[in-house]
Amino acid sequence: MAILKLNNVYKRYDNASGSPFKKKVKNDFAVNNLSFECRDGEFLGILGPSGCGKSTTLRMIAGLEQITDGDIYIGDVRINNLLPKDRNIGLAFEDYALYPPLKIYDNLAFNLRAKHVPEAEIRESVERIAKLMKVDDLLDMKPLALSGGQKQRVNIARALVRKPGLLLLDEPLSHLDGKMRQQLRYEIKRMHHEIQCTTIIVTHDQMEAMSLADRIAIMDMGKLQQIGTPLEVYDDPVNVFVAGFIGEPPMNLMTSVIHRVDGGFVFTFEGSDLRIPVPVRYNEIVSDGMKVTLGVRPVDVLIARDDEPSGTPIPVAIYEDLGDERRISVRVGENLMNLTTADAIYYERGDLVSLKFNAEKTHLFDINTGERIRAPKK
Ligand code: ADP
């Protein structure tokens, strides 16, 4: 069942009063015709670069921002005009916004006290959630004494104490350093497994979205680009934007002209002798002279063994040994093509390598629109 539904939602900020944003958004929509559903118990990620409309979306769901057009439903109820406090939503922002003079216990109890919940019930709730978020040993402390990771755990605990039907997390990890980030990511995942609270996380970090979310909604310039499981958006990106945004190191996206050769087609690249056979599944949709964007992930660019058929050898431009993997870049015309491998192979700059490609994992994109060009289904 969908617990949350956005139908053709738009947001245009009214900047008539000379806001600093005036120039930037002009007549554009910060959120442009956004529709998606979030299922009961699901962990949904909203992912995209800074300024793409993620926080605006979250704020509209929470009721902190007016919707310009469209509808938002929680269950069967249209909530467009419902006050934030009546939406049964828990919110944790990037900023912790804890009350400094109050102990952590009182910070967690604050909203329940405002609702005149009986003190015994508050204690039960605070202690249960504090244990869940592993802040139960901090209840007598004040916010100033806490580390960034501890504050964010309290922040999330405070949102959960209200027993929300929907938990919204806006960049909860972005203030934290590497190790703390990973730890809290794990805690958030464990919390979700334990209480199965429908959760939406907004993040610009694809690793965070990939590791936490059941499905990811990827946005760019106010528009939804794709929604799917981490594997779907990684393996089957619908356009160049998604292909380049998901994956680290990013997918190689190279402009190529396809040429007919004996028995098939090859990808060619300006300023380079590199030729890559076009996988036969594309034969019906490509033609001699067709210009495309070729997408291939670094793990799918392979180094051919000496006894394997391969194209012209090309020199290594950059070689990096990261211990558990090696990253190699070769120059293809003006651009670098990157490959990663777990194999223990060692090169120096200038060494020649012959490349081959995992044909099943090559993607074609329309050179003008950036949309995926799919091979016909057999
Ligand atoms: P994200 O969360 O993806 O970084 P936002 O939702 O914060 O993006 O912003 C989307 C767009 O709306 C941006 O162009 C931003 O400058 C603009 N914007 C955000 N908040 C306001 C505001 N209060 N007034 C005017 N424009 C805003």
Side-chain angles (χ1 to χ4, degrees):
M1 191 191 103
I3 191 157
L4 173 79
K5 208 189 284 184
L6 275 74
N7 285 348
N8 310 104
V9 171
Y10 290 81
K11 174 68 186 179
R12 177 185 277 155
Y13 284 102
D14 175 11
N15 297 301
S17 58
S19 132
F21 295 105
K22 188 171 182 176
K23 243 182 161 169
K24 219 170 158 193
V25 288
K26 252 182 165 169
N27 292 321
D28 298 335
F29 289 101
V31 170
N32 193 337
N33 197 11
L34 185 62
S35 300
F36 67 80
E37 290 183 5
C38 181
R39 301 168 194 146
D40 198 6
E42 188 173 31
F43 201 138
L44 186 81
I46 302 182
L47 173 69
S50 181
C52 74
K54 308 180 293 292
S55 296
T56 302
T57 302
L58 210 69
R59 292 171 63 80
M60 288 192 290
I61 296 169
L64 303 174
E65 206 67 73
Q66 277 286 328
I67 303 169
T68 305
D69 200 3
D71 297 304
I72 302 185
Y73 291 88
I74 290 185
D76 295 330
V77 181
R78 183 175 174 273
I79 59 160
N80 286 33
N81 301 316
L82 221 55
L83 290 173
K85 68 176 178 58
D86 298 326
R87 295 186 182 203
N88 193 20
I89 281 174
L91 253 176
F93 287 114
E94 177 180 359
D95 295 327
Y96 319 118
L98 302 174
Y99 303 110
L102 299 187
K103 286 185 177 173
I104 298 307
Y105 181 93
D106 297 311
N107 264 284
L108 295 181
F110 194 87
N111 286 312
L112 299 183
R113 284 187 180 138
K115 284 186 181 170
H116 308 294
V117 175
E119 205 56 40
E121 214 177 292
I122 294 180
R123 176 159 295 277
E124 184 280 322
S125 199
V126 166
E127 285 177 353
R128 188 172 50 83
I129 295 296
K131 214 166 172 189
L132 174 75
M133 289 308 298
K134 295 198 177 151
V135 294
D136 43 336
D137 53 344
L138 309 176
L139 292 176
D140 281 334
M141 295 167 78
K142 291 199 174 161
L144 270 179
L146 269 48
S147 71
Q150 289 171 325
K151 278 187 207 157
Q152 193 53 280
R153 289 216 300 272
V154 171
N155 198 22
I156 296 171
R158 187 173 51 173
L160 286 171
V161 161
R162 305 177 192 193
K163 296 196 183 121
L166 181 61
L167 175 66
L168 305 180
L169 306 174
D170 192 351
E171 300 270 10
L173 307 180
S174 57
H175 275 173
L176 308 179
D177 57 35
K179 206 162 172 205
M180 199 108 70
R181 245 180 131 105
Q182 201 164 348
Q183 210 172 340
L184 188 56
R185 202 160 79 192
Y186 167 77
E187 297 299 342
I188 292 175
K189 200 161 179 127
R190 187 184 48 79
M191 170 278 289
H192 183 257
H193 276 303
E194 278 185 37
I195 60 171
Q196 297 286 313
C197 177
T198 310
T199 304
I200 299 183
I201 187 168
V202 152
T203 175
H204 64 278
D205 181 338
Q206 54 104 17
M207 269 289 289
E208 219 162 279
M210 295 288 273
S211 65
L212 282 171
D214 298 318
R215 287 188 309 147
I216 305 174
I218 300 163
M219 293 180 69
D220 185 34
M221 302 210 289
K223 291 189 179 167
L224 181 68
Q225 305 292 312
Q226 184 169 5
I227 184 164
T229 64
L231 198 63
E232 280 164 359
V233 296
Y234 179 86
D235 260 353
D236 200 11
V238 297
N239 60 27
V240 164
F241 177 81
V242 175
F245 200 76
I246 298 282
E248 173 50 38
M251 185 184 280
N252 294 294
L253 292 163
M254 297 172 295
T255 300
S256 168
V257 178
I258 291 175
H259 283 304
R260 184 185 284 283
V261 291
D262 288 346
F265 294 93
V266 287
F267 295 109
T268 68
F269 307 89
E270 196 179 326
S272 168
D273 292 335
L274 181 66
R275 302 278 181 275
I276 303 174
V278 175
V280 286
R281 69 178 188 283
Y282 291 120
N283 276 3
E284 287 173 32
I285 51 165
V286 298
S287 54
D288 193 35
M290 182 178 178
K291 209 171 178 185
V292 295
T293 302
L294 169 66
V296 55
R297 293 204 180 276
V299 286
D300 297 316
V301 184
L302 310 170
I303 294 183
R305 289 193 316 263
D306 291 344
D307 58 343
E308 285 178 315
S310 59
T312 323
I314 41 181
V316 169
I318 300 172
Y319 174 82
E320 295 170 323
D321 195 338
L322 304 184
D324 57 346
E325 73 171 32
R326 276 137 287 280
R327 295 186 176 186
I328 299 164
S329 305
V330 294
R331 193 159 285 290
V332 178
E334 291 288 293
N335 303 305
L336 288 178
M337 178 159 61
N338 303 313
L339 71 104
T340 56
T341 175
D343 294 348
I345 45 174
Y346 302 97
Y347 290 104
E348 303 228 347
R349 187 182 154 84
D351 285 351
L352 293 178
V353 289
S354 296
L355 302 179
K356 58 180 190 164
F357 296 83
N358 184 351
E360 285 306 311
K361 297 288 176 82
T362 50
H363 305 294
L364 296 195
F365 300 96
D366 187 295
I367 192 81
N368 298 312
T369 63
E371 294 298 310
R372 177 82 171 274
I373 305 171
R374 290 178 188 279
K377 283 219 165 72
K378 292 290 172 203

